[in-house]
Amino acid sequence: MNIPFFKMQGTGNDFIVINNMELKLSGEQLAQLAKRVCQHRISVGSDAVMAVDFPEHTGDFRMRFYNADGTEAEMCGNGARCIARYAYEKGLAKEEMTIETVAGDVQAWRLDERLYKVQLNEPTTVAFDCEFSENPELVIDYVELGNPGIPHLVVHYPNLATTELADLRDLAKKLRFWEKLPKGANVNFYELTNQEVIVRTFERGVEDFTLACGTGSGSTAYALRKRQLIEQDPIVLNVLGGVLKVEVSDQALNLIGDTNIVIEGIIRDEDLVL
């Protein structure tokens, strides 16, 4: 089966993007596709597969998002920016568009050729100063975006900039699968120095650190603003893949960042079975 695709990345989150309005793959097939083609070395390699699909109500299109392990996610901020550009480039949407996601509708705007802004799903569940018995000194907040919510832990971690990811991985896994959280969570470690925010995110579904997480950056910015730890707007966050900006206005979160079309081609993986 030949599958036309874009490979795109936004601050290091990379995605395989397809038009399911044409391919008409089922949810099960999309999950199988993701599990195969997201694998590095033996296939295309990516954090996730995103499919543009027919809208179910008044949106311009529906965004279907499948992690590398085949699980379907509620939404992805960096993915939304990339799929917005894909839709614009393919003539499926105009410069301002509405994207339907599992977590709710998302507005998106084309700011220039590569720069896109998306309005993240609003925080629906928030808890500050969550107590983690294995390390009670950690300052941990919990933020869910959208409904059903995308779960995030926001964890203050001193000296994050000089800490190796390998030294964080065991803690990240424990928090990712914390028994208090029925859905688990993306784990966002942050350090704030001189109004500079450094973020490192361990993502569920990928089950490792990624170069960026849009909803994680939005959740981190929201927690910092609510704690009155930072005043600048937009809040600038330094992630492994570059820089993201988050506008915070009460409950509204707008994510701004670069998009990059890396490859346009055809997937012809001879070991792919759908």
Side-chain angles (χ1 to χ4, degrees):
M1 182 179 186
N2 291 340
I3 301 176
F5 79 106
F6 273 17
K7 184 170 183 180
M8 305 182 69
Q9 63 94 359
T11 52
N13 260 161
D14 62 336
F15 310 99
I16 295 164
V17 191
I18 62 173
N19 185 350
N20 204 44
M21 294 178 181
E22 297 176 349
L23 294 167
K24 297 181 172 60
L25 299 177
S26 67
E28 182 178 347
Q29 288 175 313
L30 288 170
Q32 287 299 116
L33 176 68
K35 288 168 70 174
R36 173 64 192 181
V37 300
C38 288
Q39 294 185 66
H40 294 273
R41 296 184 180 88
I42 67 170
S43 193
V44 181
S46 180
D47 287 334
V49 166
M50 294 192 297
V52 172
D53 217 330
F54 293 102
E56 295 187 333
H57 40 92
T58 58
D60 289 281
F61 61 92
R62 179 182 171 203
M63 168 182 169
R64 304 181 70 180
F65 188 98
Y66 290 83
N67 291 307
D69 65 357
T71 57
E72 186 173 10
E74 297 89 352
M75 215 284 278
C76 171
N78 288 325
R81 291 190 299 101
C82 287
I83 207 169
R85 182 175 178 189
Y86 177 90
Y88 177 81
E89 298 279 346
K90 292 294 186 180
L92 302 173
K94 297 181 179 179
E95 291 193 340
E96 182 175 347
M97 64 194 81
T98 301
I99 305 171
E100 296 180 6
T101 78
V102 173
D105 289 356
V106 170
Q107 297 299 120
W109 299 266
R110 178 181 186 265
L111 302 182
D112 63 31
E113 182 180 0
R114 293 180 55 175
L115 195 66
Y116 278 72
K117 174 168 75 171
V118 296
Q119 183 175 356
L120 301 175
N121 306 105
E122 292 188 358
T124 48
T125 302
V126 181
F128 292 97
D129 296 314
C130 304
E131 185 176 343
F132 183 59
S133 59
E134 292 192 38
N135 193 336
E137 295 181 357
L138 286 176
V139 178
I140 303 176
D141 302 323
Y142 179 76
V143 180
E144 282 192 15
L145 302 182
N147 184 22
I150 309 162
H152 290 278
L153 290 174
V154 179
V155 184
H156 178 247
Y157 198 91
N159 303 314
L160 179 63
T162 57
T163 301
E164 297 290 333
L165 295 183
D167 296 330
L168 280 174
R169 190 164 279 109
D170 286 346
L171 174 60
K173 288 181 179 179
K174 289 177 181 178
L175 290 167
R176 154 67 179 97
F177 293 102
W178 194 2
E179 64 274 8
K180 285 186 176 181
L181 307 176
K183 295 194 294 184
N186 297 304
V187 184
N188 306 280
F189 298 98
Y190 76 89
E191 179 184 13
L192 179 60
T193 58
N194 298 321
Q195 297 296 295
E196 180 182 32
V197 185
I198 297 167
V199 179
R200 302 288 183 262
T201 300
F202 189 94
E203 288 199 53
R204 62 181 189 141
V206 179
E207 305 309 337
D208 203 351
F209 286 97
T210 56
L211 296 181
C213 175
T215 56
S217 295
S219 297
T220 301
Y222 178 80
L224 290 174
R225 179 58 54 79
K226 290 302 177 182
R227 283 186 172 276
Q228 300 182 330
L229 294 176
I230 193 164
E231 296 181 357
Q232 68 180 132
D233 192 59
I235 296 174
V236 179
L237 303 104
N238 289 275
V239 298
L240 288 171
V243 173
L244 289 168
K245 297 180 179 179
V246 179
E247 298 172 338
V248 183
S249 177
D250 193 22
Q251 297 292 98
L253 304 173
N254 292 329
L255 177 71
I256 303 167
D258 185 57
T259 63
N260 185 355
I261 299 173
V262 180
I263 302 169
E264 181 176 9
I266 304 291
I267 296 173
R268 295 184 59 188
D269 186 337
E270 294 177 318
D271 289 327
L272 174 63
V273 178
L274 297 178

